[in-house]
């Protein structure tokens, strides 16, 4: 018999708040911290607003991407009642997704190299020691599997899905799962070059939406079988992932891959879509993405299922997005409450989605979290709260 | 469960096909070593035009070309049409991703300014670009995943393939891993070696630093172990195994006929390989034929599956004095 996948601790950090509690307070109050970038300088005429994390401790180890993961991990471990020390030498897996964190994007170093200045190679050594999954696994002296999904914007969701399979298959008893990414000048300029960044705070599913805002952060979940008998917050019931096989950057217009991914996730969970309490949509606020996702949600779920986009409070945190949204989804189930989606005012017939426009009470049921990615990746997770 | 290996593809300094890779292992071909500032083992992806129209290749970057060619080659090698493989998924791994595209995007910023950032290079610089392109070009709309964790990349790819097949998510996985060379890697290697280029990799001389960078991509067509296999089976991967445990596995593994090491001339890793007690079992390594890069372990496993021995243990340094172990089984 395969193991159930319990969640015993969750933690997050993002522009909405440096802890999960602070993030929920911000979101329930409708506050969003979206402003021109402080960390990023460019020579563009326009400043595109971003969701930056403030006051990240310098005392945390590693790159900014790794620091964000550690911050969320500390919160998740505390809730799970686990100390770092008691994990040492244990068969504990680490599966943390990223995009920025796996890329050799040290512009200053590369600029010097190009100019023939022969720079010191410390940035290479730093890069080699800052893979978030390896960094955490090594620092905690863990002996379980370690993996780092780099499936673009679905990386965080996939990391949780893969770590859940480790628990189900008995490969490890505990897994640290999630995603992390920092804001970077490279991704900032890259998304602007693709003409999918908005010059104003994003408006998921709104008729006048005109692009995404980048963000940064991390979300971490502690997954376990029930050997430790720790009180469970909830369970990962289903995970599905499928490709559109359509275009390197655009989603399939009818959301072919997302439909298949949802079907896989619901089949694994053994439930039907009418059991869904709410959907935490990918909801980036780009015209193509929201239209494709909206069409899938309309066709797959009953019309009354509430839709929320937490990116309206966090920005698009890339490899961290799916993990932060997973943490928020479980927390909303536990709170029995779902925030309003910020920025939405005008209904778009092409999307067919009216996301939450005020905080709403939610019944017990299942939460669905969607992630869509460059390359045509689509991944979904289904959660339920304990009890 | 064990995984049947139905076909393999390999792009490396030995050529752009599994047949050329095999010939090179048998001593019938020489690796292509480009000597610029520093010697480097270069892979040849030109054979991709045999599988895709030239026009379709125009916007495909060098790293993705390696992955595409290795994938087409593996499917051809299996002798099974893609449509007959059942539900198919793709899992790729890379430590560095599309390096040349990553730096091409930075070139656009440095050379032409922030306003001229290249959207094409940015879109193709994501690590999952090769897997996405294989999915698009072959029309594979099943699960598609990419992993990147340096010396844990290949083990992650094979473990996830096992999980997908064992749990009935797919019938077949196109699983592969590789890395590409870029001038910055050559520069970093030269700096690490104080500018003194070794004459060639000597993978079994563990005391000597003979590391030279390389590039390549290996792909395995994997299915349930009950399916008839062309190259035998891959058994469960053991991760982060200490030397004592590794030596016990070798001692107890009476069926193990050879030990293949992913040793690559890095004497830092060599300290661990040197502690392996293989007894009378022959020990082999082949990085002198394709160069050093984190995902070269995939080529090492391909070499093990091509060997005459039915049961081979592959060992990969995984950090901190530990090893990842891969075992092949009967053909």
């Amino acid at each position: 018999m395969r193991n159930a996948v319990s969640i015993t601790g969750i933690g997050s950090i993002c522009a909405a708040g440096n802890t999960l509690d602070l993030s929920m307070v911000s979101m329930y109050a409708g506050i969003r911290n979206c402003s021109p970038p402080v960390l990023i300088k460019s020579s563009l005429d326009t400043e595109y607003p971003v969701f930056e994390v403030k006051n990240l401790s310098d005392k945390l180890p590693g790159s900014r991407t790794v620091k964000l993961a550690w911050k969320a991990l500390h919160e998740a471990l505390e809730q799970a009642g686990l100390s770092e020390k008691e994990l040492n030498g244990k068969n504990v897996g680490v599966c943390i997704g990223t995009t920025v964190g796996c890329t050799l994007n040290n512009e200053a170093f590369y600029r010097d190299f190009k100019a023939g200045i022969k720079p010191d190679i410390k940035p290479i050594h730093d890069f080699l020691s800052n893979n978030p999954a390896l960094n955490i696994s090594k620092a905690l002296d863990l002996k379980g599997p370690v993996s780092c999904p780099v499936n673009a914007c679905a990386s965080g969701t996939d990391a949780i899905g893969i770590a859940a399979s480790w628990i189900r298959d008995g490969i490890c008893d505990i897994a640290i799962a999630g995603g992390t990414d920092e804001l970077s000048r490279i991704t900032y300029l890259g998304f602007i070059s693709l003409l999918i960044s908005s010059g104003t705070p994003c408006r998921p599913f709104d008729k006048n939406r005109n692009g995404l805002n980048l963000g940064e952060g991390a979300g971490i979940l502690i997954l376990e079988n029930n050997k430790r008998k720790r009180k469970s917050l909830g369970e990962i019931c289903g995970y599905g992932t499928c490709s559109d096989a359509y275009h390197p950057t655009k989603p399939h217009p009818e959301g072919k891959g997302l439909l298949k991914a949802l079907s896989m996730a619901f089949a694994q969970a053994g439930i039907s879509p009418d059991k869904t309490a709410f959907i935490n949509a990918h909801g980036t606020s780009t015209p193509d993405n929201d239209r494709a996702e909206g069409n899938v949600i309309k066709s797959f779920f009953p019309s009354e299922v509430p839709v929320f986009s937490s990116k309206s409070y966090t920005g698009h945190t890339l490899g961290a997005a799916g993990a932060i949204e997973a943490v928020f989804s479980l927390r909303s189930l536990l709170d029995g409450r779902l925030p309003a989606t910020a920025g939405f005012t005008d209904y778009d017939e092409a999307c067919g989605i009216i996301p939450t426009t005020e905080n709403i009470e939610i019944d017990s049921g299942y939460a669905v979290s969607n992630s869509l990615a460059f390359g045509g990746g689509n991944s979904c997770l289904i959660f339920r709260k304990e009890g | 469960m064990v995984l049947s290996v139905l076909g393999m593809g390999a792009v490396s300094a030995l050529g752009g096909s599994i047949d050329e890779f095999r010939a090179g292992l048998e001593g019938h071909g020489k690796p292509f070593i480009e000597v610029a500032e520093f010697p480097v083992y270069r892979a040849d992806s030109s054979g991709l035009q045999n599988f895709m129209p030239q026009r379709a290749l125009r916007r495909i970057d060098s790293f993705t070309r390696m992955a595409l060619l290795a994938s087409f080659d593996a499917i051809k090698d299996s002798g099974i049409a893609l449509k007959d493989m059942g539900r198919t998924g793709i899992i790729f791994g890379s430590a560095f991703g599309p390096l040349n595209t990553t730096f091409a995007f930075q070139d656009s910023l440095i050379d032409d300014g922030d306003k001229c950032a290249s959207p094409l290079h940015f879109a193709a610089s994501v690590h999952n670009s090769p897997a996405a392109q294989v999915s698009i070009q072959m029309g594979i709309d099943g699960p598609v995943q990419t992993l990147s964790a340096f010396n844990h990349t290949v083990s992650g790819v094979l473990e996830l393939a096992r999980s997908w097949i064992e749990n009935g998510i797919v019938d077949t996985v196109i699983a592969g891993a590789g890395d590409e060379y870029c001038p910055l890697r050559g520069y970093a290697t030269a700096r690490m070696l104080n500018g003194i280029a070794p004459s060639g990799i000597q993978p079994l001389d563990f005391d000597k630093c003979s590391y030279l960078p390389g590039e390549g991509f290996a792909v395995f067509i994997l299915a349930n172990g009950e399916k008839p296999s062309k190259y035998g089976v891959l058994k469960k991967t053991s991760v982060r195994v200490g030397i004592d445990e590794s030596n016990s596995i070798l001692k107890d593994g009476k069926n193990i006929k050879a030990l293949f090491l992913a040793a690559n001339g890095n004497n830092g890793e060599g300290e661990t390989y040197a502690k392996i007690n293989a007894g009378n079992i022959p020990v082999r390594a082949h990085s002198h034929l394709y160069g050093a890069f984190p995902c070269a372990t995939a080529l090492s496993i391909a070499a093990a599956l091509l060997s005459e021995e039915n049961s081979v243990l592959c060992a990969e340094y995984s950090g901190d004095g530990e090893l990842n172990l891969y075992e092949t089984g009967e053909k």
Side-chain angles (χ1 to χ4, degrees), chain A residues 2 41-45 92 102-107 109-111 113-114 118-121 124-125 127-128 131 134 137-138 142-152 158 162 165-166 169 171 185-187 189-191 193-194 239 241-249 256 260 264 373-376, chain B residues 37 94-97 99 102-107 109-111 113-120 122-123 125-128 132-133 135-136 139-153 155-157 159-160 162-164 166-167 169 183-184 187-189 191-192 236 239-240 318 320 322:
Chain A
R2 303 180 74 211
K41 304 292 176 206
S42 86
S43 60
L44 300 180
D45 300 330
V92 174
C102 65
T103 310
L104 193 42
N105 270 341
N106 190 313
E107 242 187 300
F109 172 68
Y110 183 62
R111 194 180 288 267
F113 167 71
K114 245 176 97 77
K118 300 197 171 180
D120 186 83
I121 56 171
I124 301 279
H125 290 295
F127 170 70
L128 296 174
N131 177 287
L134 284 171
S137 184
K138 186 179 164 73
L142 306 180
K143 300 300 176 191
V146 56
S147 194
C148 179
V150 288
N151 199 21
D158 289 322
I162 291 169
S165 76
W166 293 348
D169 293 351
I171 289 170
R185 214 180 88 88
I186 298 293
T187 49
L189 293 170
F191 277 95
S193 77
L194 287 166
Y239 164 62
T241 180
C242 268
S243 169
D244 284 338
Y246 173 69
H247 190 274
T249 54
K256 184 176 87 168
K260 284 185 73 173
M264 278 174 72
F374 269 14
Chain B
E37 192 177 343
S94 175
F96 301 125
L99 277 177
T102 297
F103 292 120
F105 180 73
Q106 293 184 41
D107 286 339
L109 303 180
I110 294 167
D111 298 341
D114 293 351
K115 287 178 185 168
C116 297
S118 164
L120 281 178
F122 179 67
S125 69
V126 286
H127 274 44
N128 66 334
Q133 276 294 346
S135 150
I136 292 165
I140 295 169
D141 59 2
V144 174
Q145 189 55 260
T146 303
L147 307 175
S148 179
F150 298 113
N151 288 8
H152 289 272
T153 305
S155 59
V157 167
E159 172 52 34
L160 187 58
R162 180 208 57 75
S163 175
W164 282 4
E166 185 171 11
N167 291 307
I169 293 167
L184 196 135
Y187 167 73
T189 306
R191 285 289 299 250
M192 286 176 198
K236 193 175 185 311
V239 297
R240 310 176 104 174
S318 64
D320 299 326
E322 294 173 333

Side-chain angles (χ1 to χ4, degrees), chain B residues 4-28:
Chain B
S4 273
V5 184
L6 309 182
M8 292 196 287
V11 177
S12 71
L14 291 169
S17 71
I18 194 70
D19 292 338
E20 288 168 290
F21 185 70
R22 184 204 311 259
L25 294 175
E26 291 170 352
H28 303 306

Side-chain angles (χ1 to χ4, degrees), chain B residues 20 32 65 69 74 80 99-100 116 123 130 147 150 246 280 282 329:
Chain B
E20 288 168 290
F32 171 52
R65 286 179 187 217
L69 178 55
I80 306 169
L99 277 177
N100 287 300
C116 297
L147 307 175
F150 298 113
S246 299
N280 295 324

